[in-house]
Amino acid sequence: MQWNVYLSGEIHTDWREQIEQGAKELGLPVTFTSAVTDHDSSDAAGDHLMDNDNQFWRDHQSSKVNSIRTKNLIEKCDIAVVRFGDKYKQWNAAFDAGQLAALGKPYITLHDENIIHPLKEVDAAAMAWAKTPQQVVEVLKYVITV
Amino acid sequence: MQWNVYLSGEIHTDWREQIEQGAKELGLPVTFTSAVTDHDSSDAAGDHLMDNDNQFWRDHQSSKVNSIRTKNLIEKCDIAVVRFGDKYKQWNAAFDAGQLAALGKPYITLHDENIIHPLKEVDAAAMAWAKTPQQVVEVLKYVITV
Amino acid sequence: MQWNVYLSGEIHTDWREQIEQGAKELGLPVTFTSAVTDHDSSDAAGDHLMDNDNQFWRDHQSSKVNSIRTKNLIEKCDIAVVRFGDKYKQWNAAFDAGQLAALGKPYITLHDENIIHPLKEVDAAAMAWAKTPQQVVEVLKYVITV
Amino acid sequence: MQWNVYLSGEIHTDWREQIEQGAKELGLPVTFTSAVTDHDSSDAAGDHLMDNDNQFWRDHQSSKVNSIRTKNLIEKCDIAVVRFGDKYKQWNAAFDAGQLAALGKPYITLHDENIIHPLKEVDAAAMAWAKTPQQVVEVLKYVITV
Amino acid sequence: MQWNVYLSGEIHTDWREQIEQGAKELGLPVTFTSAVTDHDSSDAAGDHLMDNDNQFWRDHQSSKVNSIRTKNLIEKCDIAVVRFGDKYKQWNAAFDAGQLAALGKPYITLHDENIIHPLKEVDAAAMAWAKTPQQVVEVLKYVITV
Amino acid sequence: MQWNVYLSGEIHTDWREQIEQGAKELGLPVTFTSAVTDHDSSDAAGDHLMDNDNQFWRDHQSSKVNSIRTKNLIEKCDIAVVRFGDKYKQWNAAFDAGQLAALGKPYITLHDENIIHPLKEVDAAAMAWAKTPQQVVEVLKYVITV
Amino acid sequence: MQWNVYLSGEIHTDWREQIEQGAKELGLPVTFTSAVTDHDSSDAAGDHLMDNDNQFWRDHQSSKVNSIRTKNLIEKCDIAVVRFGDKYKQWNAAFDAGQLAALGKPYITLHDENIIHPLKEVDAAAMAWAKTPQQVVEVLKYVITV
Amino acid sequence: MQWNVYLSGEIHTDWREQIEQGAKELGLPVTFTSAVTDHDSSDAAGDHLMDNDNQFWRDHQSSKVNSIRTKNLIEKCDIAVVRFGDKYKQWNAAFDAGQLAALGKPYITLHDENIIHPLKEVDAAAMAWAKTPQQVVEVLKYVITV
């Protein structure tokens, strides 16, 4: 069985690469998917459809285009990893986690100890909390191959 | 028909009271529900079950108790309002929005103009964005009674 | 048992009133619901939220506000009547019918003989085709009270 | 991942071919599906089963045969494109859009600017509005491959 | 709690009355529902909509009108009783049983011993097999009130 | 796309072979599935588990074993054909049709003209009625390949 | 809002009465439901339908009758409490918990500290673990009324 | 068609190997899956994430990690076998059975005659009860290949 793992959240560090590399070294039968992680492309995802002077509608248009991808990938994943980093609001990551929870998809959170409290609702519905990408790889290895 | 409206998010300003007061003055057939909004009670929701030295598990225990309430109320609501304020991480509000989206529940976001960009995914799945509680009341009035 | 009947479609003739009057005279245990049927109000449903120069986004904003109401009413109805009249495109009526079909809600179409062919897909998924409001009332009477 | 894209609506112009050609040139991993697009075949889909003098039942019989195909394809698609052209009522396209919305399938509308208003409900539930097949191809490219 | 009990099948004996009378004598909190049980009315359910020379379409039209009622009642019932008698094909009763099974609704079959074998699939998905209306009443009493 | 077609009902004539042969000659991308069609094997499906003196429980035990197969095949099919012949009660075929209807699976009935009336509910929920296996093959050909 | 609370498990101590009494003293808007808790009645639930020499089928028959009640009550509850005591196998309690988990119903386990390890899977899907009926009452009070 | 068979329960005897071996000898198109069956690994599944002094949270953490695997495998299986042996509480097996029942997955129980009574609810929802792994293999053979 091939497992689909959706990687959600922070796009400014290399946590995705670390997990993918770790899984590759172990030869895990895993396919990783993500939203488009290039920040500028993501913000401009709908710009070719219609110009918008209004920032709200520009963001609206691009976010809906992005959701064509993310909705499909979230609904098809077997496991998700939701990463919260140090910067930005990251409401999209918590929004993804809410969707995963409502769809009954098991997910692992990945974040530092200092944000345990604001993430308590997101963690309560998660199946595991990891502090490092290596811990995530260990969970995947155990879940998939032992 | 009586409408159930779930009010999610910020607990440090009186936006809930403003919406409830506005709906009351108009005699709208609406029942409002919320998570427990007393911060200390909410954090201590599970403390009577077992003491925990570890902050992660204390939060975990209380959040799961809180979710007995919020999961029920979210699944029973007809409409939700999700409020994002100035302070704190507010990942729980985005998490609620994600659940609402996956369940197909129409929700209205309530937030200032300066956080349009970080909320773009949450707004893209919303049915309306309001800047003031009065605008929310107007939407409710229109949706329910015209 | 009280039956919820959703009335979808044309807003320029009095077919709704005829059905409601007919049901009332027979004392049927029926609650009728509809989208907002005042054309101008419907088009302006979201205008108080944000001004839009762009017609697409103005319509988008209002339609999403209207869908808060219609989505709820469609999901709660036991039976629907979908009316196609002589004027306008009426894609919203066909769109409602598509949602009803996908949700497994039985619906009755109400339209003249001259548009049988373009409505063939919509009729194929309907439980009955009526040509007059009186026929709809007869169906309701039979279904609910015999 | 191979993506299933359902193409719904207008059958009198070559918009399907343009999208398929565009996707092919980019090497997108996409499978396109459609209802039977030969008008006469579609109208006669059930004629071999039973002769009907009555146009209503002839259409009914053929539409139900067609729906064996379309219901399956709609339920299996990952993305849909719904095209509204200049001619005919095209209620079947709006009906497909309603089913897609109720099933939570992301879809893109493809239509000219002059019919924004009558399509406002259909567009409000869409993830993107495109004016040209080329814009649709760009959306597919972005969603699937970036 | 009020229990909804759907009574499906044979319309030529008084088994419905016996169950209803038995439940009434015990004061059980039960609401009984059924398809229209007047044979002629049922066959003519759609006749006021359109005349049909073709028997197939006459039956089709009436059966779809009847299904507006039965689909609602089946989906709303808590328990069903499906009765097979001595006469006729009674495929509609087995068809109701199939729907009940697929919807996860517990049902009780009511039939004589001599048709155990042809009903084995229908009985295998039932929660109980009763030979007399009195046994059905006993099951209802036990399930609802002990 | 490979289509799964479930063949339900009569086991005493060669209608299955005719359909399979017809599809094969046309090279249709179809996989056919069925319940176990050997009558004696089917009746004895559970006999190796436990002996039963009581005919009801022997049938019960075998029917549940058979349902492991049929429930899976019904839930996985894209299209079903439900055949009613001249002999026996054939309640299992009507029971399969009820499940197909409740699951939203399009099915075709296959039966002679003389049993239109007792099959009216089953036909009303079907997408087509065929009188011969050749007509079924034509429907499959049209639906799958045109 | 009235809350439905299903009480599952052990029938040999008065934990149900303690919770019901505690809720009553606090005036909580709660309706409690349970399986039939009289051991002999429960074992004999189907005996009036058919005598069985074989213990397996006698149990089977009664358990299916009992499930008419429990399946309904579990599907309608908002919250469940699942109690594991000192005696017997209590597989029915764990079976109820599995159903609750799969249906997404929040439940609270009630058991002593010495059986934490064998209940770890059941507890992992629970929203709270309580050691005394009084703690359950506190959770209900908090969840429902604060 | 390849069939997925989930093997749940007892880990201290070789029943899994016997079934797998029997299926292999017959060349059945079956893929078997299981929870991690090494007792120590399973108990320690989450230990690398965070140390826990409290046994409850250690078990909780490991059980949630294990559920990432089991929830996926249960939801993907076509058939399950649930084995109850002589030792331990085995509440996890009954918990799996409850999930399978609520999801509509057909399962076979495998246990000795002396525990018929405490397993009556679990057996009532099962499709077959087997006493030996060989009987399970026979059921699989019949269901899949006849």
Side-chain angles (χ1 to χ4, degrees):
Chain A
M1 179 180 159
Q2 189 74 9
W3 294 70
N4 290 309
V5 179
Y6 183 70
L7 304 176
S8 168
E10 197 196 24
I11 57 175
H12 303 91
T13 64
D14 69 345
W15 67 276
R16 277 183 181 79
E17 288 68 29
Q18 289 188 50
I19 291 175
E20 293 180 21
Q21 182 60 28
K24 197 175 166 187
E25 285 168 11
L26 292 166
L28 299 182
V30 174
T31 305
F32 292 101
T33 59
S34 285
V36 171
T37 56
D38 179 81
H39 201 148
D40 290 342
S41 297
S42 176
D43 283 0
D47 285 359
H48 65 93
L49 295 172
M50 183 167 58
D51 283 335
N52 287 289
D53 295 333
N54 184 326
Q55 177 63 23
F56 180 80
W57 292 121
R58 187 205 172 208
D59 278 345
H60 199 81
Q61 188 172 248
S62 286
S63 294
K64 287 185 122 182
V65 169
N66 279 312
S67 76
I68 298 176
R69 176 185 178 104
T70 55
K71 184 175 164 53
N72 266 293
L73 297 179
I74 285 172
E75 287 177 6
K76 287 187 178 124
C77 78
D78 303 306
I79 304 174
V81 182
V82 188
R83 163 72 184 160
F84 292 87
D86 290 334
K87 293 192 200 157
Y88 303 106
K89 291 291 190 181
Q90 306 180 80
W91 284 322
N92 61 324
F95 184 67
D96 279 0
Q99 291 178 273
L100 290 160
L103 294 169
K105 301 279 182 184
Y107 65 88
I108 301 160
T109 55
L110 174 60
H111 62 81
D112 289 346
E113 209 151 344
N114 62 327
I115 47 176
I116 284 178
H117 194 61
L119 278 172
K120 62 185 181 301
E121 287 85 5
V122 177
D123 280 342
M127 290 301 112
W129 162 46
K131 274 164 281 189
T132 67
Q134 286 67 37
Q135 285 178 317
V136 172
V137 174
E138 278 196 61
V139 173
L140 294 179
K141 177 186 160 201
Y142 173 81
V143 165
I144 294 172
T145 63
V146 172
Chain B
M1 179 179 158
Q2 189 73 11
W3 294 69
N4 291 310
V5 179
Y6 184 70
L7 304 175
S8 167
E10 194 195 28
I11 58 175
H12 304 92
T13 64
D14 69 343
W15 68 276
R16 278 184 181 79
E17 287 68 28
Q18 289 187 52
I19 291 175
E20 293 180 21
Q21 182 60 27
K24 197 176 166 187
E25 283 168 12
L26 292 165
L28 299 182
V30 175
T31 304
F32 292 102
T33 59
S34 283
V36 171
T37 56
D38 180 81
H39 200 147
D40 292 341
S41 297
S42 178
D43 284 0
D47 285 359
H48 64 91
L49 294 172
M50 183 166 58
D51 282 335
N52 288 290
D53 294 333
N54 184 325
Q55 178 62 22
F56 181 79
W57 292 120
R58 188 207 171 205
D59 276 345
H60 200 81
Q61 187 172 251
S62 286
S63 293
K64 288 186 122 183
V65 169
N66 278 313
S67 78
I68 298 176
R69 177 185 177 105
T70 54
K71 184 175 164 53
N72 266 293
L73 297 179
I74 284 172
E75 287 178 5
K76 285 185 179 128
C77 79
D78 302 307
I79 304 172
V81 182
V82 188
R83 163 71 184 161
F84 292 86
D86 291 334
K87 294 191 198 156
Y88 305 106
K89 292 292 191 180
Q90 305 180 81
W91 284 321
N92 59 323
F95 184 67
D96 280 359
Q99 292 178 272
L100 290 159
L103 294 169
K105 301 278 181 184
Y107 65 87
I108 302 159
T109 54
L110 173 61
H111 61 81
D112 288 346
E113 210 151 344
N114 62 329
I115 47 177
I116 284 178
H117 195 63
L119 278 172
K120 63 186 183 299
E121 286 86 4
V122 177
D123 280 342
M127 289 302 114
W129 161 47
K131 273 164 283 190
T132 67
Q134 286 67 38
Q135 286 178 318
V136 173
V137 173
E138 279 197 61
V139 173
L140 294 179
K141 178 186 160 201
Y142 172 81
V143 165
I144 293 172
T145 65
V146 172
Chain C
M1 179 178 158
Q2 190 72 13
W3 294 70
N4 290 309
V5 179
Y6 184 70
L7 304 174
S8 168
E10 196 196 25
I11 59 174
H12 304 93
T13 64
D14 68 345
W15 67 277
R16 278 184 179 79
E17 287 69 29
Q18 289 187 51
I19 291 175
E20 293 181 21
Q21 182 61 28
K24 196 176 166 187
E25 284 168 11
L26 293 166
L28 299 183
V30 174
T31 304
F32 291 102
T33 60
S34 284
V36 171
T37 56
D38 180 80
H39 200 149
D40 291 342
S41 296
S42 177
D43 283 359
D47 285 359
H48 64 91
L49 294 172
M50 182 167 58
D51 282 336
N52 289 289
D53 293 333
N54 184 325
Q55 179 62 23
F56 180 80
W57 292 121
R58 189 208 169 205
D59 277 345
H60 199 81
Q61 188 171 251
S62 286
S63 294
K64 288 186 121 183
V65 169
N66 279 313
S67 76
I68 298 177
R69 177 185 177 105
T70 54
K71 184 174 164 54
N72 267 293
L73 297 179
I74 285 172
E75 288 178 4
K76 285 184 179 129
C77 77
D78 303 307
I79 304 173
V81 182
V82 187
R83 164 72 183 159
F84 293 87
D86 291 333
K87 294 192 200 156
Y88 303 105
K89 293 290 192 183
Q90 307 179 81
W91 285 320
N92 60 323
F95 184 67
D96 280 0
Q99 292 179 272
L100 290 159
L103 295 169
K105 301 278 182 184
Y107 65 88
I108 301 159
T109 54
L110 173 60
H111 62 81
D112 289 346
E113 210 150 343
N114 62 328
I115 47 176
I116 283 178
H117 194 62
L119 278 172
K120 62 185 184 299
E121 287 86 3
V122 177
D123 280 342
M127 290 301 115
W129 162 46
K131 273 164 281 190
T132 67
Q134 287 66 38
Q135 286 178 317
V136 172
V137 174
E138 279 196 62
V139 173
L140 294 179
K141 179 188 159 199
Y142 173 81
V143 166
I144 293 172
T145 64
V146 171
Chain D
M1 177 179 160
Q2 189 73 10
W3 293 70
N4 290 310
V5 179
Y6 183 70
L7 303 175
S8 168
E10 197 197 25
I11 58 175
H12 304 91
T13 64
D14 67 346
W15 67 277
R16 278 184 180 79
E17 288 67 29
Q18 290 188 50
I19 291 175
E20 293 180 22
Q21 183 61 28
K24 198 176 165 187
E25 284 167 11
L26 292 166
L28 298 183
V30 174
T31 305
F32 292 102
T33 60
S34 283
V36 171
T37 57
D38 180 79
H39 200 149
D40 292 340
S41 297
S42 177
D43 283 359
D47 285 359
H48 64 94
L49 294 172
M50 182 167 58
D51 282 335
N52 289 288
D53 295 332
N54 185 325
Q55 177 64 23
F56 180 80
W57 292 121
R58 187 206 171 207
D59 278 345
H60 200 83
Q61 189 173 250
S62 286
S63 294
K64 287 185 122 182
V65 169
N66 280 312
S67 76
I68 298 176
R69 177 184 176 105
T70 55
K71 184 175 164 55
N72 266 294
L73 297 179
I74 286 173
E75 288 177 4
K76 286 185 180 130
C77 78
D78 302 307
I79 304 174
V81 182
V82 188
R83 164 71 183 161
F84 293 87
D86 289 334
K87 293 193 200 154
Y88 305 104
K89 292 291 191 182
Q90 306 179 79
W91 284 321
N92 60 324
F95 183 67
D96 279 0
Q99 291 178 271
L100 291 159
L103 294 170
K105 301 278 182 185
Y107 65 88
I108 301 159
T109 56
L110 173 61
H111 62 82
D112 289 346
E113 208 152 345
N114 62 328
I115 46 176
I116 283 179
H117 195 61
L119 277 172
K120 61 186 183 299
E121 286 85 4
V122 178
D123 281 342
M127 289 302 114
W129 162 47
K131 273 165 282 191
T132 67
Q134 288 66 39
Q135 284 178 317
V136 173
V137 174
E138 278 197 61
V139 173
L140 293 179
K141 178 186 160 201
Y142 173 81
V143 164
I144 293 172
T145 62
V146 171
Chain E
M1 179 179 160
Q2 190 72 12
W3 294 70
N4 291 309
V5 179
Y6 184 70
L7 303 175
S8 168
E10 197 197 23
I11 59 174
H12 304 92
T13 63
D14 68 344
W15 67 276
R16 278 184 179 78
E17 288 68 29
Q18 289 187 50
I19 291 174
E20 293 180 21
Q21 183 60 28
K24 197 175 165 189
E25 283 168 11
L26 292 167
L28 299 183
V30 174
T31 304
F32 292 101
T33 60
S34 283
V36 171
T37 56
D38 180 81
H39 201 149
D40 291 342
S41 297
S42 177
D43 283 359
D47 285 358
H48 67 288
L49 294 172
M50 185 167 56
D51 283 334
N52 288 289
D53 295 332
N54 184 326
Q55 178 63 23
F56 181 79
W57 292 120
R58 188 207 171 207
D59 278 344
H60 199 82
Q61 189 172 250
S62 286
S63 293
K64 286 184 122 183
V65 169
N66 280 314
S67 76
I68 298 177
R69 177 184 177 106
T70 54
K71 186 175 162 55
N72 266 292
L73 297 179
I74 285 172
E75 288 178 5
K76 285 184 180 129
C77 78
D78 303 307
I79 304 173
V81 182
V82 188
R83 163 72 184 161
F84 293 86
D86 291 332
K87 293 190 198 158
Y88 304 106
K89 292 291 192 182
Q90 306 180 82
W91 284 320
N92 60 324
F95 184 66
D96 280 0
Q99 291 178 273
L100 290 159
L103 295 169
K105 301 277 182 184
Y107 66 87
I108 301 160
T109 55
L110 174 60
H111 62 81
D112 288 346
E113 210 152 342
N114 61 327
I115 46 175
I116 283 178
H117 194 62
L119 279 171
K120 62 187 183 299
E121 287 85 5
V122 177
D123 281 342
M127 290 302 114
W129 162 46
K131 274 164 280 188
T132 67
Q134 286 66 39
Q135 285 179 318
V136 173
V137 174
E138 279 196 61
V139 173
L140 294 179
K141 178 186 160 201
Y142 173 80
V143 165
I144 294 172
T145 64
V146 171
Chain F
M1 177 179 158
Q2 189 73 10
W3 293 69
N4 290 309
V5 179
Y6 183 71
L7 304 175
S8 166
E10 197 196 23
I11 58 176
H12 304 92
T13 64
D14 68 345
W15 67 276
R16 278 186 179 78
E17 288 67 30
Q18 290 187 50
I19 291 175
E20 293 180 21
Q21 182 60 27
K24 198 175 164 187
E25 284 167 12
L26 293 166
L28 300 182
V30 174
T31 305
F32 291 101
T33 59
S34 285
V36 171
T37 57
D38 180 80
H39 201 149
D40 292 341
S41 296
S42 178
D43 284 0
D47 285 358
H48 67 288
L49 294 172
M50 183 167 56
D51 283 334
N52 288 288
D53 296 331
N54 184 325
Q55 178 62 24
F56 181 79
W57 292 120
R58 188 207 170 205
D59 278 345
H60 200 82
Q61 189 173 250
S62 286
S63 294
K64 288 186 119 181
V65 169
N66 279 313
S67 77
I68 297 177
R69 177 183 175 108
T70 54
K71 185 175 164 53
N72 266 292
L73 298 179
I74 286 173
E75 288 178 5
K76 283 181 182 133
C77 77
D78 302 308
I79 304 174
V81 182
V82 188
R83 164 70 183 162
F84 292 86
D86 290 335
K87 292 192 199 155
Y88 304 105
K89 292 291 190 182
Q90 305 180 78
W91 284 321
N92 60 322
F95 184 68
D96 280 0
Q99 290 178 273
L100 291 159
L103 294 169
K105 301 278 180 184
Y107 65 89
I108 301 160
T109 55
L110 173 61
H111 61 82
D112 289 347
E113 208 151 344
N114 61 329
I115 46 175
I116 284 178
H117 194 61
L119 278 172
K120 62 185 184 299
E121 288 86 3
V122 177
D123 280 342
M127 289 303 113
W129 162 46
K131 273 164 283 188
T132 66
Q134 287 65 39
Q135 285 179 317
V136 172
V137 173
E138 278 196 60
V139 173
L140 293 179
K141 178 187 160 200
Y142 173 81
V143 165
I144 293 172
T145 62
V146 171
Chain G
M1 178 179 159
Q2 190 73 12
W3 294 70
N4 291 310
V5 179
Y6 184 69
L7 304 175
S8 167
E10 195 195 26
I11 59 174
H12 303 92
T13 64
D14 69 344
W15 68 277
R16 279 183 179 79
E17 288 68 29
Q18 289 188 50
I19 291 175
E20 293 180 22
Q21 182 61 27
K24 197 176 167 188
E25 283 168 12
L26 292 166
L28 300 183
V30 175
T31 304
F32 291 101
T33 59
S34 284
V36 171
T37 55
D38 179 81
H39 200 147
D40 292 340
S41 297
S42 178
D43 283 0
D47 285 357
H48 67 289
L49 294 172
M50 184 167 57
D51 282 335
N52 288 288
D53 294 333
N54 184 325
Q55 178 61 23
F56 181 80
W57 292 120
R58 189 209 169 202
D59 277 345
H60 199 81
Q61 188 172 250
S62 286
S63 293
K64 287 185 120 183
V65 170
N66 279 314
S67 77
I68 299 176
R69 176 184 178 108
T70 54
K71 184 174 163 55
N72 267 293
L73 298 179
I74 285 172
E75 288 177 5
K76 285 183 180 130
C77 78
D78 301 307
I79 304 173
V81 182
V82 188
R83 163 70 185 163
F84 292 87
D86 291 333
K87 294 191 199 157
Y88 305 106
K89 292 291 191 182
Q90 305 181 81
W91 284 322
N92 60 323
F95 184 67
D96 279 0
Q99 291 178 273
L100 291 159
L103 295 169
K105 301 279 182 183
Y107 65 88
I108 301 160
T109 54
L110 173 61
H111 62 81
D112 289 345
E113 209 151 343
N114 62 327
I115 45 176
I116 284 178
H117 194 62
L119 279 171
K120 61 186 183 300
E121 287 85 4
V122 177
D123 281 341
M127 289 302 114
W129 162 46
K131 274 164 281 189
T132 67
Q134 286 66 38
Q135 284 178 318
V136 173
V137 174
E138 278 196 62
V139 173
L140 293 179
K141 178 186 160 199
Y142 173 80
V143 165
I144 294 171
T145 63
V146 172
Chain H
M1 180 179 159
Q2 189 73 10
W3 295 70
N4 290 310
V5 180
Y6 184 70
L7 304 175
S8 167
E10 197 196 24
I11 57 175
H12 303 91
T13 63
D14 69 345
W15 68 277
R16 277 184 180 78
E17 287 68 28
Q18 290 187 49
I19 292 175
E20 293 180 20
Q21 182 61 25
K24 198 176 166 188
E25 285 167 11
L26 293 165
L28 300 183
V30 175
T31 306
F32 292 101
T33 59
S34 284
V36 171
T37 55
D38 179 81
H39 201 148
D40 291 341
S41 297
S42 178
D43 283 359
D47 285 358
H48 64 92
L49 294 171
M50 182 167 58
D51 283 335
N52 288 289
D53 295 332
N54 185 326
Q55 177 63 22
F56 181 79
W57 292 120
R58 188 207 171 206
D59 277 344
H60 199 82
Q61 189 173 250
S62 286
S63 293
K64 287 185 122 183
V65 169
N66 278 312
S67 76
I68 298 176
R69 176 184 178 107
T70 54
K71 185 175 164 53
N72 266 292
L73 297 180
I74 286 173
E75 288 177 4
K76 283 179 183 136
C77 78
D78 302 307
I79 304 174
V81 182
V82 187
R83 163 71 184 161
F84 292 87
D86 290 334
K87 294 191 199 159
Y88 305 106
K89 292 291 192 181
Q90 304 181 81
W91 284 321
N92 60 323
F95 184 67
D96 280 0
Q99 290 178 274
L100 291 159
L103 294 169
K105 301 278 182 186
Y107 65 88
I108 302 160
T109 55
L110 174 60
H111 61 81
D112 289 346
E113 208 151 344
N114 62 327
I115 47 176
I116 284 178
H117 195 62
L119 277 172
K120 63 186 181 300
E121 286 84 5
V122 177
D123 280 341
M127 288 301 114
W129 161 46
K131 274 165 282 188
T132 66
Q134 286 66 37
Q135 286 179 319
V136 173
V137 173
E138 278 196 60
V139 173
L140 293 179
K141 177 187 161 201
Y142 173 81
V143 165
I144 293 172
T145 63
V146 173

